[in-house]
Amino acid sequence: MKDVFTGKLVRLSAVDPEEMSKAFTRWNRDSEYTRLLMMSAQPLSSAKAIQKWMEKEMEGVSPTDFFFTIRTLDENKLLGGLGLNVISWAARESFIAIFIGEREDWGKGYGTDAMSIVLRYAFTELNLQRVSLGVFEYNPRAIRSYEKVGFQHEGRMRKYLNHEGKRWDLFYMGILREEWLQMQNGDKT
Amino acid sequence: MRDLFRGELVRITAEEPEARAKSEVRWQRDTEFHRLADSDAAQITSERKIKEWFEKQAEQGFKPERHPFSVRTLDEDKYIGFFGLWVDLIHSVAWVGIGIGERDFWGKGYGTDMMKLCLQYAFTELCVERVSLGLHEYNPRALRSYEKCGFRLEGRTRKDILREGRRTDTLWMGILREEWLQMQNGDLI
């Protein structure tokens, strides 16, 4: 039986707000990172402010939000994080966001590996029916990564946001439980 | 189209903590009601304490795993009882607890009507796969009512409860989504 939190290159681990807030101050200084991840104007926040915000977000045990950090298997290096939010338990639909902080860790398959771990978590642990995500048109690396783990293109919001003086679309992607199960070739946790 | 919150004899309501405490304190003092509804030791709690408890519950707000309801009669608008659904979100199954505190409304079909609304809510709104319940062997009236709603006896814990010098069994009943759907003859919300 596979370990549910371990992949080929990375593992998912618990979020420590103190460690993460320090990492966020480093990553947030890279405007390309923030442009790929979010569409709001990114203010530079202190580690203390970020930590306080995270602690408040994580307060209590919410049965609908699942946050993880992503670490390399070989050196235990903190690479980034992800959050899976169950939109509706009745519909069993969820939304995911994922990020890798340092440029030197981009394009190496870490995100793809982390995404395949969290899909396994969503379908075998939480027994969800769907996982959805949104991605900006100008992030082909992410789109390719999501396609690799089985996400399908489901729709787009045309000219949704500004980037470098142009307007770009927001893509919606999703993967169904049956599609994911089929990709596992009977090799389940 | 059917009404989600209205049956043939009763309707589902959300009562204020004051109203709930006022009735609950009377119901709690009815030993027979307590014996039928619960296996705990009977307790006398002040109206103020009960109200505080309900207020605390209200403060916690909406939780996807907990769905408490109050019940009023359609003809006199009398507050007679309650039911609640507790959902296991991961496995999409629910447990139900139900009670009529006002004795004048026992054995007249009110409970059966309440349970029908409860199952309708569980299967069409919460989209669960099964609903489970437990009852005391010495409550044949409840057993008959649950059977009418479609529950099947699935098992028993022998000599589970010690009441008035006699040990009696706890019975477990359940109804599956397919069974419930079949009973509706395509007449769905």
Side-chain angles (χ1 to χ4, degrees):
Chain A
M1 196 167 129
K2 286 183 191 168
D3 180 275
V4 75
F5 295 120
T6 306
K8 292 190 181 95
L9 299 169
V10 301
R11 68 186 181 93
L12 304 189
S13 59
V15 175
D16 172 1
E18 197 183 334
E19 177 196 44
M20 271 314 255
S21 57
K22 282 183 194 144
F24 275 131
T25 58
R26 284 201 315 275
W27 301 340
N28 286 347
R29 283 199 292 260
D30 182 351
S31 48
E32 190 174 347
Y33 160 83
T34 58
R35 282 286 177 273
L36 292 172
L37 187 63
M38 56 192 97
M39 59 182 297
S40 51
Q42 175 60 42
L44 284 176
S45 309
S46 69
K48 195 177 166 186
I50 297 174
Q51 187 178 339
K52 245 180 138 171
W53 172 80
M54 287 183 78
E55 278 164 357
K56 214 174 152 201
E57 282 284 295
M58 292 169 66
E59 225 171 66
V61 184
S62 162
T64 47
D65 292 306
F66 301 87
F67 299 111
F68 297 102
T69 53
I70 303 167
R71 291 176 190 278
T72 58
L73 280 183
D74 51 0
E75 290 172 349
N76 208 34
K77 180 187 175 187
L78 176 65
L79 296 171
L82 58 88
L84 180 68
N85 170 245
V86 179
I87 306 285
S88 159
W89 281 104
R92 308 200 82 72
E93 150 77 333
S94 65
F95 203 90
I96 193 163
I98 185 169
F99 50 93
I100 302 288
E102 317 272 357
R103 285 173 186 242
E104 62 177 45
D105 298 322
W106 295 354
K108 293 186 174 164
Y110 293 137
T112 306
D113 197 34
M115 188 60 102
S116 45
I117 303 174
V118 76
L119 285 182
R120 183 170 65 204
Y121 187 79
F123 292 124
T124 68
E125 293 303 303
L126 304 180
N127 291 332
L128 298 174
Q129 281 297 336
R130 278 184 53 93
V131 178
S132 307
L133 60 81
V135 58
F136 305 139
E137 186 182 5
Y138 55 77
N139 193 354
R141 193 170 43 216
I143 295 167
R144 182 72 199 104
S145 164
Y146 302 148
E147 285 168 347
K148 266 194 250 175
V149 294
F151 280 90
Q152 307 234 2
H153 289 267
E154 296 188 325
R156 61 171 68 197
M157 303 274 263
R158 295 167 308 147
K159 311 255 179 233
Y160 193 73
L161 77 167
N162 273 317
H163 176 57
E164 292 177 335
K166 257 187 73 179
R167 291 202 71 89
W168 301 77
D169 296 356
L170 168 67
F171 292 177
Y172 282 114
M173 301 180 80
I175 179 167
L176 305 182
R177 179 182 190 79
E178 305 83 72
E179 294 165 352
W180 182 83
L181 282 172
Q182 226 161 37
M183 288 178 70
Q184 307 314 304
N185 301 315
D187 181 19
K188 280 171 238 156
T189 295
Chain B
M1 191 167 133
R2 285 199 215 166
D3 189 328
L4 203 48
F5 297 124
R6 184 178 280 262
E8 278 159 30
L9 297 169
V10 299
R11 65 187 181 96
I12 302 177
T13 66
E15 299 295 329
E16 299 299 331
E18 293 79 22
R20 294 180 75 180
K22 219 172 142 188
S23 294
E24 193 76 31
V25 76
R26 269 192 306 110
W27 300 345
Q28 187 192 53
R29 282 173 200 158
D30 181 338
T31 305
E32 191 178 350
F33 171 69
H34 176 78
R35 283 282 186 270
L36 294 172
D38 218 322
S39 56
D40 296 346
Q43 274 185 28
I44 296 285
T45 316
S46 73
E47 191 176 322
R48 187 175 58 80
K49 265 265 177 267
I50 296 175
K51 190 178 126 216
E52 278 171 14
W53 191 83
F54 282 131
E55 274 164 354
K56 218 169 137 190
Q57 206 184 42
E59 268 167 32
Q60 288 173 358
F62 173 80
K63 288 190 163 187
E65 68 271 36
R66 197 195 65 196
H67 300 270
F69 295 103
S70 298
V71 175
R72 282 177 180 267
T73 61
L74 283 183
D75 53 357
E76 291 172 63
D77 201 36
K78 190 176 169 64
Y79 174 31
I80 60 166
F82 56 87
F83 65 79
L85 284 157
W86 286 264
V87 184
D88 181 325
L89 299 171
I90 303 300
H91 301 284
S92 277
V93 296
W95 281 85
V96 59
I98 189 167
I100 297 179
E102 302 294 339
R103 299 174 145 259
D104 297 348
F105 296 86
W106 291 358
K108 292 177 181 168
Y110 288 92
T112 305
D113 200 38
M114 284 160 67
M115 186 58 94
K116 281 181 183 165
L117 287 174
C118 176
L119 288 178
Q120 178 170 267
Y121 193 83
F123 289 122
T124 68
E125 296 307 294
L126 304 179
C127 303
V128 296
E129 284 301 316
R130 57 167 283 139
V131 177
S132 315
L133 63 79
L135 72 151
H136 302 312
E137 186 186 16
Y138 55 75
N139 193 355
R141 193 169 47 213
L143 180 73
R144 181 73 199 102
S145 165
Y146 302 148
E147 281 170 347
K148 268 192 247 172
C149 298
F151 280 91
R152 294 194 194 174
L153 188 60
E154 295 182 325
R156 61 174 65 217
T157 310
R158 294 170 306 151
K159 305 226 182 268
D160 196 30
I161 301 290
L162 178 60
R163 282 292 182 228
E164 281 138 43
R166 220 164 60 81
R167 295 206 74 95
T168 56
D169 297 356
T170 298
L171 311 184
W172 305 109
M173 302 183 83
I175 177 168
L176 304 183
R177 179 178 193 78
E178 307 87 75
E179 295 165 355
W180 182 82
L181 282 172
Q182 227 159 40
M183 288 175 72
Q184 310 311 306
N185 301 315
D187 179 19
L188 288 181
I189 288 204

PDB file of all heavy atoms in Angstrom, chain A residues 7 17 26 52 57-58 68 95 99 124 127 138 144 153 164 179:
ATOM      1  N   GLY A   7       5.088  11.109  -2.588  1.00  0.00           N
ATOM      2  CA  GLY A   7       5.103  10.905  -4.032  1.00  0.00           C
ATOM      3  C   GLY A   7       6.459  10.399  -4.479  1.00  0.00           C
ATOM      4  O   GLY A   7       7.158   9.736  -3.712  1.00  0.00           O
ATOM      5  N   PRO A  17       2.767  27.802  10.602  1.00  0.00           N
ATOM      6  CA  PRO A  17       2.602  29.210  10.212  1.00  0.00           C
ATOM      7  C   PRO A  17       3.878  30.039  10.374  1.00  0.00           C
ATOM      8  O   PRO A  17       4.129  30.948   9.580  1.00  0.00           O
ATOM      9  CB  PRO A  17       1.509  29.715  11.159  1.00  0.00           C
ATOM     10  CG  PRO A  17       0.722  28.508  11.497  1.00  0.00           C
ATOM     11  CD  PRO A  17       1.725  27.384  11.554  1.00  0.00           C
ATOM     12  N   ARG A  26       9.867  35.806   1.488  1.00  0.00           N
ATOM     13  CA  ARG A  26      10.872  35.626   0.417  1.00  0.00           C
ATOM     14  C   ARG A  26      10.177  35.512  -0.940  1.00  0.00           C
ATOM     15  O   ARG A  26      10.510  36.209  -1.887  1.00  0.00           O
ATOM     16  CB  ARG A  26      11.689  34.352   0.659  1.00  0.00           C
ATOM     17  CG  ARG A  26      12.738  34.450   1.732  1.00  0.00           C
ATOM     18  CD  ARG A  26      13.813  33.348   1.556  1.00  0.00           C
ATOM     19  NE  ARG A  26      13.268  32.018   1.272  1.00  0.00           N
ATOM     20  CZ  ARG A  26      12.865  31.158   2.213  1.00  0.00           C
ATOM     21  NH1 ARG A  26      12.894  31.501   3.491  1.00  0.00           N
ATOM     22  NH2 ARG A  26      12.402  29.962   1.872  1.00  0.00           N
ATOM     23  N   LYS A  52       0.138  35.875  11.570  1.00  0.00           N
ATOM     24  CA  LYS A  52      -1.116  36.131  12.295  1.00  0.00           C
ATOM     25  C   LYS A  52      -2.322  35.740  11.444  1.00  0.00           C
ATOM     26  O   LYS A  52      -3.265  35.114  11.913  1.00  0.00           O
ATOM     27  CB  LYS A  52      -1.210  37.627  12.639  1.00  0.00           C
ATOM     28  CG  LYS A  52      -1.185  37.881  14.141  1.00  0.00           C
ATOM     29  CD  LYS A  52      -1.275  39.349  14.406  1.00  0.00           C
ATOM     30  CE  LYS A  52      -2.214  39.624  15.560  1.00  0.00           C
ATOM     31  NZ  LYS A  52      -2.172  41.016  15.981  1.00  0.00           N
ATOM     32  N   GLU A  57      -6.619  31.797   9.970  1.00  0.00           N
ATOM     33  CA  GLU A  57      -7.221  30.934   8.943  1.00  0.00           C
ATOM     34  C   GLU A  57      -7.310  29.482   9.409  1.00  0.00           C
ATOM     35  O   GLU A  57      -8.264  28.772   9.100  1.00  0.00           O
ATOM     36  CB  GLU A  57      -6.357  30.961   7.663  1.00  0.00           C
ATOM     37  CG  GLU A  57      -6.533  32.182   6.800  1.00  0.00           C
ATOM     38  CD  GLU A  57      -7.827  32.150   6.011  1.00  0.00           C
ATOM     39  OE1 GLU A  57      -7.963  31.277   5.155  1.00  0.00           O
ATOM     40  OE2 GLU A  57      -8.686  33.012   6.273  1.00  0.00           O
ATOM     41  N   MET A  58      -6.274  29.066  10.152  1.00  0.00           N
ATOM     42  CA  MET A  58      -6.184  27.656  10.527  1.00  0.00           C
ATOM     43  C   MET A  58      -6.838  27.367  11.866  1.00  0.00           C
ATOM     44  O   MET A  58      -6.823  26.230  12.342  1.00  0.00           O
ATOM     45  CB  MET A  58      -4.722  27.218  10.561  1.00  0.00           C
ATOM     46  CG  MET A  58      -4.080  27.201   9.180  1.00  0.00           C
ATOM     47  SD  MET A  58      -2.297  26.988   9.264  1.00  0.00           S
ATOM     48  CE  MET A  58      -2.193  25.323   9.926  1.00  0.00           C
ATOM     49  N   PHE A  68      -1.571  21.991   3.029  1.00  0.00           N
ATOM     50  CA  PHE A  68      -0.340  21.208   3.174  1.00  0.00           C
ATOM     51  C   PHE A  68       0.843  22.036   2.684  1.00  0.00           C
ATOM     52  O   PHE A  68       0.688  22.929   1.863  1.00  0.00           O
ATOM     53  CB  PHE A  68      -0.393  19.940   2.314  1.00  0.00           C
ATOM     54  CG  PHE A  68      -1.477  18.978   2.688  1.00  0.00           C
ATOM     55  CD1 PHE A  68      -2.638  18.902   1.933  1.00  0.00           C
ATOM     56  CD2 PHE A  68      -1.333  18.151   3.788  1.00  0.00           C
ATOM     57  CE1 PHE A  68      -3.653  18.001   2.277  1.00  0.00           C
ATOM     58  CE2 PHE A  68      -2.335  17.254   4.133  1.00  0.00           C
ATOM     59  CZ  PHE A  68      -3.495  17.181   3.383  1.00  0.00           C
ATOM     60  N   PHE A  95     -12.087  22.661  -4.784  1.00  0.00           N
ATOM     61  CA  PHE A  95     -11.276  23.588  -5.566  1.00  0.00           C
ATOM     62  C   PHE A  95      -9.869  23.560  -4.994  1.00  0.00           C
ATOM     63  O   PHE A  95      -9.692  23.542  -3.776  1.00  0.00           O
ATOM     64  CB  PHE A  95     -11.865  25.001  -5.469  1.00  0.00           C
ATOM     65  CG  PHE A  95     -11.484  25.878  -6.615  1.00  0.00           C
ATOM     66  CD1 PHE A  95     -12.272  25.933  -7.756  1.00  0.00           C
ATOM     67  CD2 PHE A  95     -10.330  26.648  -6.557  1.00  0.00           C
ATOM     68  CE1 PHE A  95     -11.910  26.740  -8.820  1.00  0.00           C
ATOM     69  CE2 PHE A  95      -9.969  27.463  -7.622  1.00  0.00           C
ATOM     70  CZ  PHE A  95     -10.763  27.516  -8.767  1.00  0.00           C
ATOM     71  N   PHE A  99       1.220  26.096  -5.231  1.00  0.00           N
ATOM     72  CA  PHE A  99       2.314  27.001  -5.599  1.00  0.00           C
ATOM     73  C   PHE A  99       3.669  26.425  -5.192  1.00  0.00           C
ATOM     74  O   PHE A  99       3.789  25.720  -4.198  1.00  0.00           O
ATOM     75  CB  PHE A  99       2.130  28.373  -4.940  1.00  0.00           C
ATOM     76  CG  PHE A  99       1.870  28.295  -3.456  1.00  0.00           C
ATOM     77  CD1 PHE A  99       2.930  28.373  -2.553  1.00  0.00           C
ATOM     78  CD2 PHE A  99       0.576  28.154  -2.966  1.00  0.00           C
ATOM     79  CE1 PHE A  99       2.692  28.297  -1.179  1.00  0.00           C
ATOM     80  CE2 PHE A  99       0.342  28.072  -1.593  1.00  0.00           C
ATOM     81  CZ  PHE A  99       1.395  28.142  -0.704  1.00  0.00           C
ATOM     82  N   THR A 124      -9.249   9.291  -2.654  1.00  0.00           N
ATOM     83  CA  THR A 124      -9.270   8.068  -1.827  1.00  0.00           C
ATOM     84  C   THR A 124      -9.490   8.354  -0.344  1.00  0.00           C
ATOM     85  O   THR A 124     -10.021   7.509   0.363  1.00  0.00           O
ATOM     86  CB  THR A 124      -7.978   7.229  -1.974  1.00  0.00           C
ATOM     87  OG1 THR A 124      -6.880   7.946  -1.407  1.00  0.00           O
ATOM     88  CG2 THR A 124      -7.676   6.898  -3.420  1.00  0.00           C
ATOM     89  N   ASN A 127     -12.898  10.996  -0.575  1.00  0.00           N
ATOM     90  CA  ASN A 127     -13.950  10.410  -1.421  1.00  0.00           C
ATOM     91  C   ASN A 127     -14.736  11.461  -2.207  1.00  0.00           C
ATOM     92  O   ASN A 127     -15.966  11.388  -2.312  1.00  0.00           O
ATOM     93  CB  ASN A 127     -14.922   9.579  -0.578  1.00  0.00           C
ATOM     94  CG  ASN A 127     -14.275   8.327  -0.047  1.00  0.00           C
ATOM     95  OD1 ASN A 127     -13.353   7.796  -0.658  1.00  0.00           O
ATOM     96  ND2 ASN A 127     -14.723   7.849   1.103  1.00  0.00           N
ATOM     97  N   TYR A 138      -1.602  32.946 -19.242  1.00  0.00           N
ATOM     98  CA  TYR A 138      -0.166  33.172 -19.437  1.00  0.00           C
ATOM     99  C   TYR A 138       0.710  32.268 -18.570  1.00  0.00           C
ATOM    100  O   TYR A 138       1.878  32.556 -18.347  1.00  0.00           O
ATOM    101  CB  TYR A 138       0.181  34.652 -19.197  1.00  0.00           C
ATOM    102  CG  TYR A 138      -0.240  35.211 -17.853  1.00  0.00           C
ATOM    103  CD1 TYR A 138       0.481  34.929 -16.692  1.00  0.00           C
ATOM    104  CD2 TYR A 138      -1.352  36.040 -17.737  1.00  0.00           C
ATOM    105  CE1 TYR A 138       0.104  35.436 -15.463  1.00  0.00           C
ATOM    106  CE2 TYR A 138      -1.742  36.548 -16.526  1.00  0.00           C
ATOM    107  CZ  TYR A 138      -1.011  36.249 -15.386  1.00  0.00           C
ATOM    108  OH  TYR A 138      -1.392  36.752 -14.174  1.00  0.00           O
ATOM    109  N   ARG A 144       0.225  22.774 -18.487  1.00  0.00           N
ATOM    110  CA  ARG A 144       0.806  21.503 -18.946  1.00  0.00           C
ATOM    111  C   ARG A 144       0.882  20.513 -17.768  1.00  0.00           C
ATOM    112  O   ARG A 144       0.586  19.329 -17.917  1.00  0.00           O
ATOM    113  CB  ARG A 144       2.203  21.791 -19.513  1.00  0.00           C
ATOM    114  CG  ARG A 144       2.927  20.596 -20.066  1.00  0.00           C
ATOM    115  CD  ARG A 144       2.334  20.101 -21.376  1.00  0.00           C
ATOM    116  NE  ARG A 144       2.770  18.721 -21.632  1.00  0.00           N
ATOM    117  CZ  ARG A 144       2.017  17.647 -21.468  1.00  0.00           C
ATOM    118  NH1 ARG A 144       0.769  17.766 -21.058  1.00  0.00           N
ATOM    119  NH2 ARG A 144       2.493  16.447 -21.709  1.00  0.00           N
ATOM    120  N   HIS A 153      -9.675  20.626 -19.718  1.00  0.00           N
ATOM    121  CA  HIS A 153     -10.126  22.013 -19.883  1.00  0.00           C
ATOM    122  C   HIS A 153     -11.649  22.035 -19.881  1.00  0.00           C
ATOM    123  O   HIS A 153     -12.275  21.294 -20.623  1.00  0.00           O
ATOM    124  CB  HIS A 153      -9.596  22.596 -21.198  1.00  0.00           C
ATOM    125  CG  HIS A 153      -8.126  22.852 -21.154  1.00  0.00           C
ATOM    126  ND1 HIS A 153      -7.598  24.062 -20.791  1.00  0.00           N
ATOM    127  CD2 HIS A 153      -7.068  22.033 -21.379  1.00  0.00           C
ATOM    128  CE1 HIS A 153      -6.277  23.993 -20.812  1.00  0.00           C
ATOM    129  NE2 HIS A 153      -5.925  22.765 -21.165  1.00  0.00           N
ATOM    130  N   GLU A 164       0.964  42.605 -18.011  1.00  0.00           N
ATOM    131  CA  GLU A 164       1.895  43.219 -18.964  1.00  0.00           C
ATOM    132  C   GLU A 164       1.170  43.949 -20.085  1.00  0.00           C
ATOM    133  O   GLU A 164       1.439  43.733 -21.264  1.00  0.00           O
ATOM    134  CB  GLU A 164       2.832  42.149 -19.533  1.00  0.00           C
ATOM    135  CG  GLU A 164       3.784  41.615 -18.472  1.00  0.00           C
ATOM    136  CD  GLU A 164       4.686  40.492 -18.982  1.00  0.00           C
ATOM    137  OE1 GLU A 164       4.291  39.819 -19.947  1.00  0.00           O
ATOM    138  OE2 GLU A 164       5.750  40.307 -18.391  1.00  0.00           O
ATOM    139  N   GLU A 179     -12.492   9.531 -13.981  1.00  0.00           N
ATOM    140  CA  GLU A 179     -11.313   9.748 -14.833  1.00  0.00           C
ATOM    141  C   GLU A 179     -10.030   9.428 -14.074  1.00  0.00           C
ATOM    142  O   GLU A 179      -9.123   8.794 -14.591  1.00  0.00           O
ATOM    143  CB  GLU A 179     -11.281  11.210 -15.316  1.00  0.00           C
ATOM    144  CG  GLU A 179     -12.426  11.553 -16.242  1.00  0.00           C
ATOM    145  CD  GLU A 179     -12.618  13.052 -16.430  1.00  0.00           C
ATOM    146  OE1 GLU A 179     -11.961  13.856 -15.728  1.00  0.00           O
ATOM    147  OE2 GLU A 179     -13.448  13.418 -17.277  1.00  0.00           O
TER     148      GLU A 179
END
